[in-house]
Amino acid sequence: MRQFFFAIIFLSTLPGYSQQTLGFSLPDGVNRIDIPIEIHNNLIVVPVILNNRLPLKFIIDTGVRTAILTQKVYSDILNLSYTRKYSLSGPGGQKLVDAFITSNVTFDMPGVHGQGHSMLVLQEDYLELKNSMGTDVHGILGYELFSRFVVMIDYEAKKMTLMRPENFKPKKSYQALPIRIEDTKPFVELIISVRDSAQMTAKFLVDTGASHGLLIEEDSDKRLRMPDKNISSILGRGIAGIITGKISRTKSLKFGKYELNDLITSFPDDYAYRDSVGSKNFSPRNGSVGGDLLSRFTVIFNFPGEMMYIKKNPSFKKKFYYSLSGITLRAKGPKLREYEISDVRTNTTAAAAGLKVGDVIISVNGVSVADYELSYVNNFFNSKPGRKIKVEILRNGEKLKKEFLLENQI
């Protein structure tokens, strides 16, 4: 399964706003609201109506400052005006991409109204969200939501609950963790042991907009040096292209009172994806924790109170695996139900079986994939080591059959 990074370097010159006229709000007399969510590749997706007219889907991302619309075509449909145009350098490369600022935008979710927002609009879908996630995704919401409410994410029940901070009282069944909100993003200090039994306290961004479990910025501390056993891989996609790096395992991470062992960990080759704006006033971070770890808990974010609360769910005991097949799929077609191989990692059983970039998956173990979402199809290829996989593929108009075993390389 491919990991995803949605970090973007934002400019500090975004239009300002008044707290009295801008923001999300609940109806009078309502203290909390439940919103149904979808989970795709450990990412949280919610329904949003833009400017009272256009129904879209947005990712909920603690790592972004300002709302993002991934394609200008949608804002053009609404005839939105743009106050400024930017050329942004994006993560994963030096390429510049065009983006626009529009103001006084309205967002509506079930039971929640937001008005007067600024929004960053990308000229094109540089992130290729719908192809990577296998579902229509049009934008990203972040700090503006978390700054107004206490936000609970229940990954198992597929529900997001928004609560007024003044009425929130945490239950004793939750583990409390202090967080610090720096440059609009939540950071937590955790005890980690990367290579051996030696432990250290490290600073991590809590990033619901990344599907990885743990990412370490290796140059931030010599004690975080990558283990000798690792594999090279494409880690994900940034706004300007592919992000490469190494995959290894971290010995242990203490997430409050919970200890997780042998975590799949990403070590990026470079750090162009990191936000740089506003970082001068804060201590550097050592990495980030993302959806593959967070989805094993029910998580409550209290940005106003700078606290985070966690309670393990049934997924806590799941083992951490990384791309047991060695292939990455890309969803295509009008219904996003055509699955093309976009990458085959070298020295894997899939590569040895002769699978190639561009092959289209027709069926897996006799099951047609045409009726299933990408996340379901990915589960076939990441279920457990040693499982036999039989695939039927389409290559240059010819149907072929291939067979291989899932293999744990890490």
Side-chain angles (χ1 to χ4, degrees), residues 67-85:
I68 305 167
L69 189 66
T70 59
Q71 285 182 272
K72 187 170 176 285
V73 62
Y74 299 114
S75 53
D76 288 345
I77 290 173
L78 297 173
N79 295 317
L80 299 183
S81 58
Y82 308 103
T83 59
R84 194 168 300 180
K85 178 180 178 180

Side-chain angles (χ1 to χ4, degrees), residues 88-311:
L88 302 179
S89 58
Q94 300 301 316
K95 176 183 174 182
L96 297 180
V97 298
D98 291 330
F100 304 81
I101 295 297
T102 185
S103 302
N104 200 29
V105 176
T106 297
F107 296 106
D108 283 288
M109 292 178 287
V112 183
H113 178 67
Q115 64 181 23
H117 291 275
S118 296
M119 183 170 66
L120 184 72
V121 181
L122 304 183
Q123 176 69 46
E124 301 174 20
D125 183 11
Y126 303 104
L127 295 170
E128 299 186 2
L129 295 181
K130 68 177 184 179
N131 306 108
S132 300
M133 296 176 63
T135 188
D136 286 315
V137 178
H138 312 94
I140 305 173
L141 286 175
Y143 177 73
E144 292 140 321
L145 187 69
F146 288 92
S147 65
R148 290 302 179 95
F149 304 110
V150 173
V151 181
M152 180 173 72
I153 307 296
D154 189 333
Y155 286 89
E156 290 290 315
K158 295 185 178 180
K159 177 179 65 176
M160 178 174 72
T161 302
L162 306 181
M163 296 166 275
R164 297 182 189 272
E166 61 270 24
N167 299 114
F168 171 70
K169 292 183 179 180
K171 295 182 179 179
K172 293 182 179 180
S173 58
Y174 282 80
Q175 164 80 52
L177 295 174
I179 59 175
R180 293 194 62 181
I181 306 303
E182 299 179 359
D183 195 23
T184 74
K185 302 170 183 63
F187 292 86
V188 64
E189 291 190 344
L190 304 174
I191 297 174
I192 187 172
S193 175
V194 176
R195 298 172 59 93
D196 48 39
S197 59
Q199 296 181 335
M200 64 171 286
T201 299
K203 177 181 176 181
F204 294 95
L205 169 67
V206 185
D207 191 357
T208 63
S211 65
H212 64 254
L214 180 65
L215 179 144
I216 288 179
E217 298 172 14
E218 193 178 12
D219 68 346
S220 66
D221 193 296
K222 63 182 180 181
R223 293 171 291 178
L224 297 174
R225 186 164 55 91
M226 179 173 52
D228 296 331
K229 185 177 181 180
N230 59 75
I231 58 174
S232 298
S233 186
I234 295 174
L235 301 185
R237 186 177 184 88
I239 193 173
I242 298 298
I243 298 174
T244 59
K246 300 288 196 302
I247 299 292
S248 188
R249 285 188 183 269
T250 287
K251 184 176 178 62
S252 68
L253 180 74
K254 291 186 178 179
F255 200 40
K257 67 180 180 181
Y258 305 102
E259 183 168 333
L260 300 106
N261 300 305
D262 297 324
L263 283 82
I264 295 293
T265 305
S266 302
F267 292 83
D269 283 338
D270 61 64
Y271 306 99
Y273 67 90
R274 285 188 291 184
D275 290 358
S276 60
V277 176
S279 61
K280 295 180 180 179
N281 297 325
F282 306 111
S283 61
R285 72 193 191 198
N286 301 112
S288 63
V289 294
D292 192 29
L293 187 153
L294 296 173
S295 63
R296 296 158 193 264
F297 300 86
T298 298
V299 185
I300 301 175
F301 294 97
N302 183 355
F303 276 35
E306 292 197 302
M307 292 294 293
M308 174 181 175
Y309 303 88
I310 58 174
K311 182 173 70 173

Side-chain angles (χ1 to χ4, degrees), residues 330-344:
R330 169 186 167 89
K332 298 176 61 178
K335 295 183 179 180
L336 297 174
R337 291 295 185 271
E338 299 174 20
Y339 302 114
E340 180 183 89
I341 297 178
S342 60
D343 182 61
V344 182

